[in-house]
Amino acid sequence: YLQEDGHVALTVIPTGMESKIPEHRKLLNDTIACKSIASTLNITINASSLNNMAQLRLRGDACSSRNNAGETLRFSECSHLMKFESQTRDGSTILTTFKDGRGIKLVHSLKHVEGLPYFEVNSSVTNESGKDVVLEFLESFSLGMLSPFQPDNAPDKYIIHRFRSYWSSEGRHEATALEDLGLDLSWAPFFGKTVRFGQRGSQVVKGFFPTLGFEDNDAGVVWAAQLATWTPWQMQVTRESDQIDISGGLVDAEFGAWSRTLKAGESFQGPPAIATCVKGDIQNALSRLTSWPVDNAEGLVEAEADLPIIFNEYCSTWNVPSSEKLLPIAKALEGSGVRYFVLDAGWHKDKDNDAHNGLGDWLVSKDLYPEGFKAFIERIRAMGFIPGIWFEFEIVQTNTHVFEEHPEWMLQVHGMPHSIFGEARRFLDFRKKEVWDYLDKRFIGLLKEYGFGYLKIDYNAAFTEADTANGSKVEGARELLDAIREYYKHLRKEMPELVIEVCASGGHRLTPEWM
C-alpha cells in the first residue's frame, strides 16, 4: 500500500523480487516527449502518479478532465476527495477505509488465505451523507504503479492480455503491445489515457471474458485479474505518466448507462475480483486465477468426482428427441462407459405443433414418448445411465399458458414486456416470488418427479435493461441477474446431487462466479 496526500495505491510483486525494484526516475522534463513543453512553459512534469485504489463517482461530481470525457470515469472529483481514514486486519482480510468529507465512505477489502495463489479484492460504498445520492461508477479493484521493475516508461516491454469470446469461439487469446493500444507515453503525460472494455448485457462473456493480464516481459512478471461477476462489467487499462493501472468492476454510467440510487445509510458493493502476480507467463497467472471457482464451488457432486463421459443427443435428433430415436442409441452406448444420457431441446414438443407447446409451460410431450415419459426415463436408467435433460428456464415463449395467464411475471422495460424481434421469447422477472413458486413446481418439480441427475441449462437470448425504482434500467438488469443467481443457489439447495451444466448459448456465462 503506497500512500501520498491521503490517497492510497495498491501494488503487488512476486515474493523474493523486492531487491529487483530499481529507483524510478523522478521527472519527465528531460525526455524527448516532454522536453519542449516543460521548458517552454517552465513546468515540472512528474514521472510517477499515484492513483487512488478507491475509484468511484457520484452524479454531479466533476469529471477528471476534458481529455478523458467518454474514455473513463476514473480520476473523478469523488475519487480525488476520498482520503485515507484507517486500515485494519480481520483474520485474512485487510480493510482500508476512505471518506470524502461529504459523508461517503468506501471500504476496500483485500483477502488472502495463506497458501492460495490468488487474493480477492472488492470495494463497498456507504452513504452516510443523510440524503440520497446517485452512484455512477464503482471499481472493485485497481492495481497500480505497474511495473515497479522498470525505471522509466519501459517502451516495448509491456503486453496486455485479453480473451475474446463469441458463440462457439470461446477464449481467443489476444496479446497486444501497450503501444498498439495507444497507451504509449505522450508529450502531455498528465492527461491519462484509458482503454476500457466489457459487456453491457446479461450474456456476460460475449465479446470479452472479464479477465485482464498485464505483463512486464523484461522482468518476466505478470499481473492478472478476473471479475467473479454474473452481471454487466468493465475493465480498464490506464496510463498516467510512466505508471500503468489495471482495474475493473461494474459497468459505469458512461460505458454502460448504469447508475444506482444510494439512500441515506445504504451500502453497495460490486462483484469481487480475483487477482494474482507471478514470476512467469500469462498461463502461470491464469492457472492461479482459474483455481478460484474450484476452491469456491457450491456443490461437490459425487458423480463428478472423476471426469465422466456425457452423451448429449442434440446433434443426433436435431430437436426431436423421441423414444423411438433415442432408445436404439442408448442401447448402442450401453456398457461404453458413458455416464450421462442427456435429452436436449424439444422433449416438450407435440407432434401437431399445437398452440401451446412452447418453452415455459414445460409440459412433457405425449407424442414423443407414447409409452410414458417415466417409463422411458426408467429404461434409460436401467441401461446404466444417469438421465439428463435440457431446460432454458429463464425465458418463456408467447405460445404458452404461462405467458397468456401471467403477463405481469415478465421482465418490463419502460412498462412494456421486453421482447426480441424475430423470436417469440420473453424473460421471467426473478425478482417476483410468484416466478420462483411457479418454477419450483414446473421446473424443479419435474426434475424431482422423473429422477433426473443431470441438468443442461441453456441461455440463448440476453437483456440489457429492466425497470426498477433504484436507479437506471441497467441497474434493474443487475438486480434481475442477482435474483437469477439466487435462484441457481436455491436449485442447488433443493437438489444437492444434481449435476448442473451452465451452457449459455455456447459459453456466454463462463465467468468464475457462474462456474
XYZ file of all heavy atoms in Angstrom, residues 181-233:
419
model
N -2.129 -0.324 -28.320
C -3.418 0.115 -27.790
C -3.468 1.633 -27.613
O -4.436 2.171 -27.081
C -3.702 -0.569 -26.448
C -3.985 -2.076 -26.514
C -4.057 -2.655 -25.106
C -5.273 -2.356 -27.267
N -2.414 2.314 -28.045
C -2.358 3.771 -27.933
C -1.974 4.256 -26.558
O -2.157 5.439 -26.236
N -1.406 3.387 -25.735
C -1.089 3.752 -24.356
C 0.390 4.064 -24.155
O 0.914 3.947 -23.047
C -1.524 2.629 -23.405
C -3.037 2.372 -23.351
C -3.347 1.185 -22.457
C -3.783 3.608 -22.863
N 1.074 4.476 -25.217
C 2.472 4.901 -25.063
C 2.513 6.286 -24.402
O 1.512 6.991 -24.332
C 3.177 4.930 -26.418
C 2.352 5.613 -27.497
O 1.116 5.680 -27.350
O 2.928 6.071 -28.491
N 3.679 6.649 -23.921
C 3.844 7.938 -23.244
C 3.754 9.073 -24.266
O 4.413 9.044 -25.301
C 5.200 7.973 -22.538
C 5.459 9.169 -21.635
C 4.564 9.125 -20.402
C 6.930 9.211 -21.237
N 2.908 10.068 -23.969
C 2.747 11.181 -24.901
C 3.480 12.409 -24.388
O 4.019 12.429 -23.281
C 1.262 11.513 -25.078
O 0.791 12.270 -23.969
N 3.482 13.478 -25.190
C 4.134 14.724 -24.780
C 3.315 15.450 -23.700
O 3.794 16.400 -23.092
C 4.336 15.642 -25.981
C 3.051 16.054 -26.647
C 2.408 15.418 -27.662
C 2.248 17.197 -26.325
N 1.250 16.070 -27.980
C 1.123 17.177 -27.182
C 2.356 18.230 -25.397
C 0.122 18.136 -27.139
C 1.359 19.194 -25.346
C 0.257 19.137 -26.222
N 2.083 14.980 -23.474
C 1.248 15.551 -22.407
C 0.848 14.410 -21.465
O -0.305 13.998 -21.414
C 0.016 16.224 -22.995
N 1.796 13.854 -20.719
C 1.547 12.640 -19.941
C 0.604 12.843 -18.763
O 0.121 11.873 -18.187
C 2.938 12.251 -19.445
C 3.680 13.535 -19.382
C 3.164 14.352 -20.523
N 0.334 14.113 -18.413
C -0.551 14.395 -17.289
C -2.011 14.181 -17.654
O -2.879 14.225 -16.786
C -0.343 15.838 -16.794
C 0.059 16.789 -17.877
C -0.866 17.285 -18.775
C 1.400 17.158 -18.023
C -0.489 18.158 -19.769
C 1.788 18.036 -19.026
C 0.843 18.534 -19.912
N -2.315 13.995 -18.940
C -3.657 13.577 -19.347
C -3.655 12.052 -19.452
O -3.035 11.480 -20.341
C -4.050 14.185 -20.696
C -4.290 15.668 -20.650
C -3.708 16.505 -21.583
C -5.102 16.225 -19.670
C -3.926 17.881 -21.544
C -5.321 17.586 -19.626
C -4.740 18.416 -20.563
N -4.337 11.401 -18.539
C -4.347 9.946 -18.546
C -5.008 9.378 -19.786
O -5.924 9.976 -20.359
N -4.520 8.227 -20.210
C -5.121 7.501 -21.338
C -5.723 6.203 -20.806
O -5.140 5.563 -19.928
C -4.070 7.139 -22.372
C -3.362 8.286 -23.058
C -2.341 7.692 -24.009
C -1.633 8.750 -24.833
N -0.681 8.122 -25.788
N -6.858 5.802 -21.351
C -7.516 4.588 -20.873
C -8.069 3.773 -22.032
O -8.643 4.325 -22.968
C -8.675 4.927 -19.918
O -8.171 5.643 -18.796
C -9.364 3.668 -19.416
N -7.899 2.465 -21.944
C -8.610 1.512 -22.802
C -9.618 0.795 -21.906
O -9.250 0.193 -20.900
C -7.651 0.497 -23.455
C -8.428 -0.630 -24.118
C -6.751 1.190 -24.465
N -10.895 0.918 -22.254
C -11.985 0.358 -21.445
C -12.746 -0.669 -22.290
O -13.060 -0.423 -23.443
C -12.913 1.498 -21.015
C -14.125 1.084 -20.204
C -14.883 2.318 -19.701
N -15.183 3.284 -20.737
C -15.750 4.474 -20.516
N -16.060 4.839 -19.293
N -15.993 5.300 -21.517
N -13.032 -1.829 -21.715
C -13.783 -2.860 -22.428
C -14.639 -3.625 -21.435
O -14.419 -3.562 -20.222
C -12.842 -3.809 -23.179
C -11.953 -4.652 -22.283
C -12.275 -5.965 -21.990
C -10.798 -4.119 -21.738
C -11.460 -6.732 -21.170
C -9.965 -4.882 -20.919
C -10.303 -6.197 -20.629
N -15.638 -4.345 -21.931
C -16.505 -5.099 -21.036
C -17.725 -5.632 -21.741
O -17.743 -5.793 -22.965
N -18.782 -5.911 -20.977
C -20.024 -6.455 -21.509
C -21.195 -5.743 -20.848
O -21.271 -5.649 -19.619
C -20.101 -7.957 -21.250
C -21.415 -8.603 -21.628
C -21.878 -8.269 -23.031
O -22.942 -7.699 -23.223
N -21.083 -8.600 -24.038
N -22.114 -5.251 -21.676
C -23.243 -4.466 -21.174
C -24.506 -5.297 -20.967
O -25.478 -4.818 -20.410
C -23.548 -3.326 -22.146
C -22.391 -2.364 -22.348
C -22.718 -1.358 -23.451
N -21.658 -0.385 -23.651
C -20.661 -0.544 -24.512
N -20.583 -1.662 -25.237
N -19.732 0.382 -24.659
N -24.513 -6.559 -21.460
C -25.720 -7.372 -21.385
C -25.604 -8.541 -20.432
O -24.598 -8.728 -19.744
N -26.668 -9.364 -20.400
C -26.745 -10.467 -19.450
C -25.975 -11.706 -19.909
O -25.785 -12.623 -19.116
C -28.212 -10.842 -19.192
O -28.862 -11.217 -20.396
N -25.536 -11.747 -21.159
C -24.592 -12.782 -21.583
C -23.197 -12.208 -21.319
O -22.580 -11.591 -22.175
C -24.797 -13.146 -23.056
C -26.079 -13.940 -23.295
C -26.253 -14.354 -24.742
O -25.783 -13.686 -25.660
N -26.942 -15.458 -24.958
N -22.711 -12.434 -20.100
C -21.604 -11.638 -19.580
C -20.244 -12.007 -20.158
O -19.263 -11.284 -19.947
C -21.558 -11.691 -18.039
C -22.688 -10.883 -17.458
C -21.631 -13.128 -17.533
N -20.159 -13.124 -20.874
C -18.917 -13.435 -21.597
C -19.263 -13.457 -23.090
O -19.400 -14.493 -23.708
C -18.312 -14.778 -21.150
C -17.041 -15.085 -21.935
C -17.969 -14.735 -19.669
N -19.448 -12.286 -23.637
C -19.733 -12.138 -25.058
C -18.959 -10.915 -25.536
O -19.224 -9.797 -25.109
C -21.232 -11.949 -25.310
C -21.606 -12.031 -26.778
C -23.111 -12.013 -26.954
C -23.474 -12.226 -28.416
N -24.936 -12.187 -28.625
N -17.991 -11.158 -26.375
C -17.062 -10.103 -26.762
C -15.739 -10.313 -26.052
O -14.705 -10.514 -26.680
N -15.774 -10.274 -24.716
C -14.581 -10.493 -23.903
C -14.934 -11.272 -22.644
O -16.039 -11.151 -22.119
C -13.952 -9.165 -23.461
C -13.234 -8.413 -24.541
C -13.852 -7.353 -25.187
C -11.936 -8.749 -24.903
C -13.194 -6.638 -26.179
C -11.269 -8.042 -25.894
C -11.890 -6.988 -26.541
N -13.969 -12.037 -22.154
C -14.036 -12.557 -20.793
C -13.702 -11.415 -19.828
O -12.912 -10.531 -20.184
C -12.999 -13.665 -20.581
C -13.422 -15.021 -21.072
C -13.490 -15.296 -22.435
C -13.729 -16.033 -20.174
C -13.866 -16.539 -22.883
C -14.099 -17.290 -20.626
C -14.181 -17.554 -21.980
N -14.247 -11.442 -18.604
C -13.875 -10.424 -17.609
C -12.512 -10.736 -16.999
O -12.369 -10.927 -15.788
C -15.013 -10.513 -16.580
C -15.471 -11.928 -16.654
C -15.307 -12.346 -18.092
N -11.523 -10.806 -17.849
C -10.170 -11.216 -17.462
C -9.167 -10.269 -18.103
O -9.322 -9.894 -19.268
C -9.887 -12.659 -17.933
O -10.890 -13.521 -17.406
C -8.519 -13.136 -17.495
N -8.140 -9.899 -17.354
C -7.155 -8.950 -17.857
C -5.790 -9.310 -17.299
O -5.643 -9.580 -16.104
C -7.541 -7.533 -17.421
C -6.597 -6.381 -17.766
C -6.408 -6.254 -19.261
C -7.139 -5.072 -17.178
N -4.802 -9.334 -18.188
C -3.430 -9.580 -17.760
C -2.508 -8.458 -18.207
O -2.678 -7.893 -19.298
N -1.543 -8.124 -17.368
C -0.530 -7.108 -17.692
C 0.831 -7.756 -17.500
O 1.142 -8.258 -16.413
C -0.675 -5.889 -16.784
C 0.389 -4.851 -16.979
C 0.272 -3.884 -17.961
C 1.536 -4.847 -16.189
C 1.264 -2.929 -18.154
C 2.530 -3.906 -16.366
C 2.394 -2.939 -17.362
N 1.647 -7.740 -18.536
C 2.938 -8.432 -18.499
C 4.094 -7.467 -18.689
O 4.091 -6.646 -19.618
C 2.990 -9.509 -19.590
C 4.309 -10.270 -19.646
C 4.336 -11.341 -20.712
O 3.315 -11.496 -21.428
O 5.375 -12.024 -20.843
N 5.055 -7.552 -17.802
C 6.353 -6.900 -17.977
C 7.285 -7.980 -18.526
O 7.796 -8.814 -17.777
C 6.840 -6.364 -16.630
C 8.217 -5.700 -16.711
O 8.947 -5.940 -17.689
O 8.567 -4.966 -15.766
N 7.466 -7.997 -19.845
C 8.227 -9.102 -20.442
C 9.732 -8.963 -20.229
O 10.484 -9.906 -20.495
C 7.898 -9.263 -21.938
C 8.209 -8.023 -22.758
O 9.050 -7.218 -22.369
N 7.527 -7.866 -23.886
N 10.165 -7.807 -19.747
C 11.574 -7.641 -19.409
C 11.870 -8.255 -18.031
O 12.865 -8.967 -17.853
C 11.918 -6.143 -19.409
C 13.371 -5.891 -19.054
O 14.251 -6.332 -19.826
O 13.628 -5.272 -18.007
N 10.974 -8.010 -17.084
C 11.141 -8.580 -15.737
C 10.618 -10.006 -15.650
O 10.935 -10.726 -14.704
C 10.426 -7.703 -14.715
N 9.794 -10.421 -16.640
C 9.210 -11.754 -16.599
C 8.145 -11.897 -15.528
O 8.034 -12.943 -14.874
N 7.328 -10.843 -15.341
C 6.295 -10.837 -14.309
C 4.952 -10.523 -14.958
O 4.867 -9.680 -15.857
C 6.604 -9.802 -13.205
C 5.481 -9.738 -12.169
C 7.920 -10.152 -12.514
N 3.908 -11.214 -14.498
C 2.547 -10.981 -14.987
C 1.633 -10.666 -13.806
O 1.660 -11.361 -12.784
C 2.005 -12.212 -15.749
C 0.536 -12.008 -16.124
C 2.835 -12.475 -16.994
N 0.830 -9.613 -13.954
C -0.268 -9.303 -13.043
C -1.558 -9.656 -13.783
O -1.703 -9.348 -14.977
C -0.289 -7.823 -12.698
C 0.877 -7.355 -11.884
C 0.900 -7.152 -10.535
C 2.197 -7.014 -12.349
N 2.145 -6.715 -10.124
C 2.963 -6.622 -11.216
C 2.811 -7.025 -13.605
C 4.290 -6.238 -11.310
C 4.134 -6.644 -13.698
C 4.872 -6.251 -12.560
N -2.487 -10.286 -13.111
C -3.724 -10.690 -13.784
C -4.893 -10.631 -12.822
O -4.724 -10.802 -11.603
C -3.592 -12.097 -14.364
N -6.079 -10.391 -13.371
C -7.293 -10.318 -12.547
C -8.489 -10.805 -13.341
O -8.540 -10.664 -14.568
C -7.526 -8.889 -12.059
N -9.442 -11.387 -12.627
C -10.744 -11.761 -13.175
C -11.814 -11.187 -12.269
O -11.624 -11.084 -11.057
C -10.923 -13.285 -13.193
C -10.220 -14.014 -14.309
C -10.649 -15.483 -14.330
O -10.778 -16.108 -13.283
N -10.873 -16.023 -15.498
N -12.961 -10.841 -12.861
C -14.118 -10.435 -12.072
C -15.033 -11.637 -11.893
O -15.429 -12.266 -12.872
C -14.878 -9.301 -12.763
C -14.166 -7.953 -12.804
C -14.882 -7.004 -13.758
C -14.058 -7.338 -11.412
N -15.346 -11.963 -10.653
C -16.299 -13.043 -10.376
C -17.696 -12.452 -10.478
O -18.397 -12.251 -9.488
C -16.046 -13.634 -8.996
N -18.111 -12.189 -11.704
C -19.340 -11.428 -11.937
C -20.395 -12.295 -12.602
O -20.087 -13.276 -13.276
C -19.037 -10.189 -12.800
O -20.236 -9.414 -12.948
C -18.524 -10.586 -14.185
N -21.641 -11.917 -12.436
C -22.759 -12.508 -13.162
C -23.624 -11.400 -13.761
O -24.704 -11.640 -14.239
C -23.586 -13.409 -12.236
C -24.082 -12.734 -10.991
C -25.322 -12.194 -10.800
C -23.358 -12.526 -9.781
N -25.409 -11.649 -9.539
C -24.219 -11.846 -8.875
C -22.079 -12.860 -9.348
C -23.828 -11.484 -7.596
C -21.696 -12.495 -8.065
C -22.555 -11.818 -7.205
N -23.091 -10.177 -13.723
C -23.809 -9.013 -14.244
C -22.886 -8.243 -15.187
O -21.688 -8.520 -15.262
C -24.246 -8.097 -13.089
O -23.076 -7.549 -12.461
C -25.056 -8.859 -12.043
N -23.404 -7.248 -15.921
C -22.547 -6.434 -16.784
C -21.337 -5.873 -16.038
O -21.415 -5.527 -14.851
C -23.487 -5.322 -17.255
C -24.831 -5.978 -17.280
C -24.834 -6.900 -16.091
N -20.220 -5.744 -16.750
C -18.938 -5.418 -16.117
C -18.074 -4.620 -17.066
O -18.369 -4.517 -18.262
C -18.204 -6.714 -15.735
C -17.960 -7.594 -16.940
C -18.808 -8.528 -17.461
C -16.824 -7.577 -17.809
N -18.277 -9.114 -18.587
C -17.053 -8.549 -18.826
C -15.630 -6.852 -17.827
C -16.133 -8.792 -19.855
C -14.714 -7.105 -18.851
C -14.978 -8.072 -19.844
